[in-house]
Structures are given as structure tokens and as C-alpha cells.
Amino acid sequence: METDDVSVREQLFHDRVRETIICVLLFSCLYILSHLILTHFKKNAEFVTDDIEDAIVNKIALWLCTFTLSVAVCAVLLLPISILSNEVLLTFPHSYYMQWLNGSLIRGLWNLVFLFSNLSLVFLMPFAYFFTEAEGFAGSKKGVMARVYETAVMLLLLSLLVLGIVWVACALLHHNTARESLYDLWEYYLPYLYSGISLFGVLLLLLCTPFGLSRMFSVTGSLLVKPRLLENVEETMNCAVFEEASLSRKLNSNTSCWVNVGVNSETMNKQFFNVQARRIALELRERASPWQRNLGYPLAMLLLLALTAVCVLMVCFHVLELIFDESAMPRGMEDPRLGLASFSMFGSLGAAVQVVLILYLMVSSVVGFYSSPLFTGLLPQVQDTTLTQIIGNCVSLLILSSALPVFSRTLGITRFDLLGDFGRYNWLGNFHIVFLYNMLFAGLTSACLIKTVTWALQRELIRAFGLHRLPLTVSRSTTPLKLLLASGLSKIH
């Protein structure tokens, strides 16, 4: 009997060590990837300065940002890893090489991401910001430690302020509970704070994702070669080359020759750069194969349209499930029993579609976030992003990514229930909030999609038939169909 207990303890010890090694390896890979990304965007002048103290402070802040970004990437991968792990265990239920993949590992990964994400949001990122702005208290000895002391005091004051706001909110919403549990910080106020942060992230995803789904068409179109109906690429290329050469000769000539006729040098330079950019785009189109020029763009647009339509249909179906089935409500679970049943009614194919949709929604939310007027200034620039902008980007991406599992489960994109503390948010059990959230997402996404498709189709038809060269007195929005057909027939003849 004692031998059996020892063997069980040894097995538990080996399982814990194996899970720790796997988590460390995964996080190390994500940390290296995040470091490469931040190094690609950071402004090198802030890290190579004459002041050694500033350089050390900036490097420490960059390390904290790298840690936060790696946690954000891991949060994005939580649901895909969990769904794919379940399908792998269903496919290979008795495989010796898949014994390391179990529910304990997945649950531990969820708990670590929840812990590190809240640690980064509440402590690490405020510390990095105050650390870069600190100079030490007046009269104290200058140095890195003086900045650390000032940052610690600022964090303490900020913590007291946030806890006071949370206590006031609890007192307003739950008067008796807040008064009785004034000293119950760990069991009540911190989960309440986490619930508020998650609700803010989910609301931010609600605003950014529909806008990002509509912006995905234009962003993808800018990366691909668009087909042009009834257009002679070679002729247009020659015209662009001649126009560029003419502007180049005017710029290289004596400035008095064109200053006297009222031509502004800035306007001339702007025209030259525009013509040069158009010529480069035409060269790319000319070098592209017929398959890329004629099939790549339509297939990409159809794929994006199909993914967006599937998302909207799944959300509409989930709305019906919420009305007739209580089990459709998002909830948490403690023990993920992987390998028993698929989380999709279509099996492994449906699970793969769920993973693709989750990643697609995350990319769309990021595109919508950076495309919105409020957050356009945070858009990182290659080798020209300040440390303050890096901190803001890491915080924003962490808020979006940590809310992604709750967002996907609330919309019914997947039936994988939330693990650990992700399923303990107070508002998840409110039917009215969940139902209204699904309706708003379906309505906003449908409206953005209809507007994007109709305007894009009209714009491409106008450009294809050359009507964008019409004078401004002719309204493009009221261009009759007969004018389109007449222009097309004249080009054919």
C-alpha cells in the first residue's frame, strides 16, 4: 500500500515537472518572438544615448513590454490550443506520444495566462510607464534606484486610488456586501476588478471587431494586385513613365522657370511622388502573373466574405440557442475533460473552422483598433516607435487578447467552456447582457459588411470603366447604369 502511494506521488511529481517544462518552453518561444517584434519597431535612438542611466531604464521597460506582449500572444492562442488538443486526443486516444497532452496541462496554461495578464495590466505596465517618466525625488541622490523608489510610491498611490474606486463601485451596486467585506481584498475586490477589466476588453472588442471586419477588405486589397476590367496595363504604364519623366525634367530645370509661372515647388514634388508611386504599383501589376492578377484578389475577397458571413451566421444561431437552451450561456469549468467529445457538431472540420474564425476575429479586432480615429496615433512605425507608444500598444493588445476567450465563448464561436478564473466573471451569468451583446455584434457586423461591399463594388465599377476621371459636377453616387454601359461599350469599340 505504501509502495502504491509512493508511485502515485512520483507520477504526480513527474507530471508537474513535465507541465512546467512545456509551459516554460512555450513561453520562451513567445518571448523571443515578442522581442524580435519590438526590436523591429522600437526607436533605436532611445536605447543608444550618452546617458547610461536612461539607457538602462529604457532597456528594463522594454523587457517588461516584451513579457507583456508574449502574454498577449499566449492569450490569443489559448482557445486554439485547447480546441486542437481535444481533437488530437480524439484522433489518437491511446497514443503513447500524446500522454503529455492532458486536461491538467491546459488548465494550468489558462491559469498562468490569467495570472500573468492581470499582473502585467495592474503592475508591470504601470511600473514601466512610471519608471521611464521618473527622475527621483527632489533632494535625493540621482540614479536608477532613486527612480525605482519614486515609481514604487506612485504605484502604491495608484493602487490605493483604484481600490478606492472599486470599493465605491461595490458600495453603489452591492451596498451590504461591500460594507461587510471591506477587508476582504483577495476574495472579493480583486475578482471584481478583474471582472471590470474583462468587461471593458469585451466591449472594446465589440466596437473594434465589426469595424475591423469591414476594414479587412481594404487592407487585404492594398496587399494584393487588383484586376482591372478593360484596362491596358502596358499603355497605362507608358503614360505613367512619360509623366514621371516630364515632372523630373521640370524639377531638375532652373527653379525660376517654373516659379515665375506660379508653380509651387511643394506641389510639384507631391505630384512627382504620386506619379512615381503609381508607376511602381503598375510595375508590380505588370510583373504579376495572370493568376495573381485575375484570381488572387477575387479569391481573397471571397474568402474574407465567407469568413465574415460564417461569423454572423454562427452568432445568429447562438442567439436562437440562448432563447431556447440555457446551456448555451457562457460558463466556466474546472476540469477540462479532453478527448471525450468534439466541441463542434461537424467534428474535426468544424473545430478547425472554429480555430480559423477565432484567429480571424482577433486579427480583425486589431485592424479595427488601429483604424479607429481614437487609436490611430498608437500605430507603430518601423524603427520609429517611442517607448511610451510601445507601452501603450502592449497594454492595448493585452486587453484585446485577454478578452478574446470570453468574447469567442459569449458569441458562440466555440462551445469550449472557459477554464479557471476566466469563467468566474460576474457578468457572464447575466442573460440580458449576453443576449444584447450577441444582437449588437450581429447588427453592427452586418451593417459594416453591407456598407463595405456596396461601396467597394460601386468604386471598382467606376474605376474599371474610367468614370473616376469625370468632372466633379457629375456625382459618382448618382451615376446611372446607362452611363456605365455606354462607357464600357465605347472602350470595347
Side-chain angles (χ1 to χ4, degrees):
M1 189 69 179
E2 185 178 355
T3 305
D4 295 337
D5 294 338
V6 172
S7 62
V8 170
R9 289 198 298 269
E10 288 180 353
Q11 184 65 35
L12 292 176
F13 173 76
H14 290 307
D15 292 342
R16 182 59 59 87
V17 171
R18 181 180 59 196
E19 293 172 7
T20 304
I21 293 174
I22 293 173
C23 292
V24 169
L25 289 176
L26 175 62
F27 191 79
S28 300
C29 295
L30 296 179
Y31 188 89
I32 294 173
L33 177 63
S34 302
H35 179 72
L36 294 176
I37 294 174
L38 293 183
T39 304
H40 180 69
F41 286 103
K42 72 176 183 179
K43 193 174 184 178
N44 293 324
E46 293 186 348
F47 299 90
V48 184
T49 60
D50 296 333
D51 193 346
I52 301 178
E53 180 182 335
D54 289 339
I56 293 175
V57 169
N58 292 337
K59 288 182 180 179
I60 294 175
L62 185 65
W63 294 340
L64 297 178
C65 292
T66 306
F67 178 85
T68 303
L69 185 59
S70 59
V71 173
V73 177
C74 193
V76 173
L77 299 177
L78 273 183
L79 273 178
I81 289 177
S82 303
I83 295 173
L84 294 178
S85 299
N86 181 68
E87 298 302 322
V88 169
L89 292 178
L90 280 175
T91 307
F92 307 101
H94 304 293
S95 176
Y96 173 78
Y97 300 100
M98 293 299 168
Q99 291 183 0
W100 59 272
L101 194 60
N102 50 37
S104 177
L105 173 64
I106 301 300
R107 184 177 65 252
L109 189 61
W110 280 69
N111 291 332
L112 287 176
V113 170
F114 181 84
L115 173 64
F116 289 152
S117 61
N118 287 286
L119 179 66
S120 299
L121 285 176
V122 176
F123 179 73
L124 295 184
M125 286 296 94
F127 180 86
Y129 177 75
F130 291 135
F131 194 43
T132 55
E133 299 294 330
E135 295 180 356
F137 292 110
S140 62
K141 185 179 179 180
K142 300 298 180 181
V144 177
M145 291 306 300
R147 295 191 178 192
V148 172
Y149 296 148
E150 182 182 353
T151 305
V153 173
M154 293 296 296
L155 276 179
L156 179 61
L157 295 177
L158 180 63
S159 301
L160 293 177
L161 177 63
V162 172
L163 289 178
I165 294 174
V166 173
W167 185 83
V168 171
C170 294
L172 293 176
L173 298 177
H174 309 284
H175 178 68
N176 295 329
T177 307
R179 185 171 57 186
E180 293 174 359
S181 59
L182 178 61
Y183 302 101
D184 199 359
L185 177 65
W186 185 264
E187 294 294 333
Y188 186 76
Y189 288 105
L190 286 182
Y192 198 89
L193 177 62
Y194 299 155
S195 180
I197 294 175
S198 71
L199 181 60
F200 173 75
V202 172
L203 291 178
L204 187 61
L205 283 174
L206 177 63
L207 297 176
C208 294
T209 306
F211 182 56
L213 290 173
S214 61
R215 286 283 300 165
M216 284 292 291
F217 292 90
S218 57
V219 172
T220 307
S222 64
L223 301 175
L224 299 176
V225 178
K226 295 183 180 180
R228 294 286 185 234
L229 300 175
L230 307 176
E231 181 185 23
N232 192 338
V233 179
E234 185 177 357
E235 180 181 351
T236 309
M237 178 71 182
N238 293 332
C239 294
V241 170
F242 291 149
E243 188 176 358
E244 182 183 4
S246 175
L247 291 174
S248 179
R249 284 194 301 271
K250 291 180 181 180
L251 287 173
N252 293 330
S253 62
N254 189 6
T255 55
S256 61
C257 296
W258 41 269
V259 169
N260 293 332
V261 296
V263 180
N264 192 359
S265 60
E266 295 182 359
T267 305
M268 186 71 69
N269 287 324
K270 186 176 181 180
Q271 291 178 356
F272 177 76
F273 288 129
N274 291 335
V275 172
Q276 190 178 31
R278 189 175 65 179
R279 192 257 305 167
I280 294 174
L282 288 172
E283 286 181 352
L284 294 177
R285 292 189 57 209
E286 192 177 22
R287 288 198 299 265
S289 64
W291 293 95
Q292 293 177 338
R293 192 163 54 243
N294 298 321
L295 287 180
Y297 181 81
L299 289 178
M301 294 298 107
L302 288 177
L303 179 62
L304 293 178
L305 183 62
L307 290 175
T308 307
V310 170
C311 288
V312 175
L313 290 177
M314 291 184 70
V315 173
C316 294
F317 181 74
H318 187 244
V319 169
L320 297 178
E321 283 187 324
L322 289 173
I323 298 175
F324 298 105
D325 188 5
E326 294 183 357
S327 62
M329 286 287 295
R331 62 179 185 273
M333 62 177 176
E334 293 295 332
D335 186 15
R337 298 180 179 180
L338 301 180
L340 298 180
S342 178
F343 292 105
S344 174
M345 64 179 66
F346 299 104
S348 300
L349 179 61
V353 172
Q354 289 180 3
V355 171
V356 173
L357 290 178
I358 291 171
L359 298 178
Y360 175 62
L361 289 176
M362 184 61 201
V363 174
S364 302
S365 65
V366 173
V367 171
F369 177 80
Y370 286 116
S371 300
S372 60
L374 294 177
F375 305 106
T376 306
L378 283 177
L379 185 64
Q381 304 294 330
V382 178
Q383 300 297 323
D384 195 29
T385 306
T386 62
L387 190 57
T388 305
Q389 286 180 317
I390 291 177
I391 294 174
N393 279 281
C394 291
V395 171
S396 303
L397 293 176
L398 182 59
I399 292 175
L400 292 175
S401 61
S402 59
L404 181 65
V406 183
F407 174 74
S408 303
R409 182 61 186 92
T410 304
L411 294 179
I413 303 298
T414 179
R415 299 302 297 267
F416 190 91
D417 288 323
L418 303 172
L419 291 176
D421 293 322
F422 280 93
R424 297 177 183 175
Y425 296 133
N426 298 329
W427 56 272
L428 282 177
N430 193 318
F431 171 80
H432 298 90
I433 294 178
V434 175
F435 182 80
L436 181 62
Y437 190 89
N438 281 263
M439 294 295 295
L440 285 175
F441 179 83
L444 290 175
T445 306
S446 301
C448 292
L449 183 63
I450 293 173
K451 181 180 178 181
T452 301
V453 172
T454 53
W455 278 95
L457 181 61
Q458 181 183 7
R459 184 173 59 252
E460 292 301 323
L461 285 175
I462 291 175
R463 184 178 293 273
F465 289 104
L467 298 180
H468 61 287
R469 301 186 183 92
L470 289 174
L472 295 178
T473 55
V474 180
S475 177
R476 298 178 186 175
S477 60
T478 58
T479 303
L481 181 61
K482 293 182 179 180
L483 188 57
L484 287 173
L485 296 177
S487 176
L489 292 174
S490 63
K491 285 192 172 186
I492 293 175
H493 293 300

